Amino acid sequence: MNLPPLTQRFVLHFGEMGSRWGINRTVGQIYALLYVSPRALNADEIGEALAFSRSNVSMGLKELQSWNLVRLQHLPNDRREYFSAPEDVWAIFRTLAEERRKREIDPTLSMLRDALMEQPAAPDDIYAQRRMKQMHDLIELMTGWLADVQKMDSATLASLMKMGAKVQKLLEAKDKVAKTVKAGLTGRTVADTVAAQPAKLADKLPDEDRS
């Protein structure tokens, strides 16, 4: 199974980039091949296309399965296992986000929660705990956002990503409206207070002076 030039370039690049993303070159190349393949591939086909040993292909596929990034299927009258990548690129994004949350973010968040429940006595620990609280709040905000993203369908998620800077402009507009409303309410409160002063003063005057 010879790879065409464009596919080969993509697979090689994905393997090199994999090491920077925390996965080994073999796993990166296997996933890249499955991602661009028009059909599901079995382990023998993957090994032949990438010149990998059967054991390396097997370990790479197990790693990808643990990340829920490949689908296993069987074909009629064929005992071999076939693998493919999800067609929906947004489904891949959501899967990666969820798996990284479970593997990297949740353990850190758990450690921070435990640390914030302690009662430090040393000044350095008190300062450190305040810094941990800031990190904890940021991570919780991020995980809350990721949880919302997980609930979105692909079309909604794509629309959200395309908004880009429009989201910032929308938030800025919301803040301006909130400040305007607050200023208006504050001004009205002051005006009402001033208007009420003569009546309050009149209540304090003797009856003969009110007329």
Side-chain angles (χ1 to χ4, degrees), residues 72-101:
L72 168 65
Q73 62 188 89
H74 291 88
L75 301 181
N77 302 318
D78 193 334
R79 297 178 60 186
R80 293 173 297 182
E81 296 178 334
Y82 286 79
F83 300 87
S84 61
E87 293 290 335
D88 186 356
V89 69
W90 292 106
I92 297 172
F93 170 78
R94 285 193 295 268
T95 299
L96 277 172
E98 175 64 15
E99 290 298 323
R100 284 200 171 275
R101 181 190 65 79

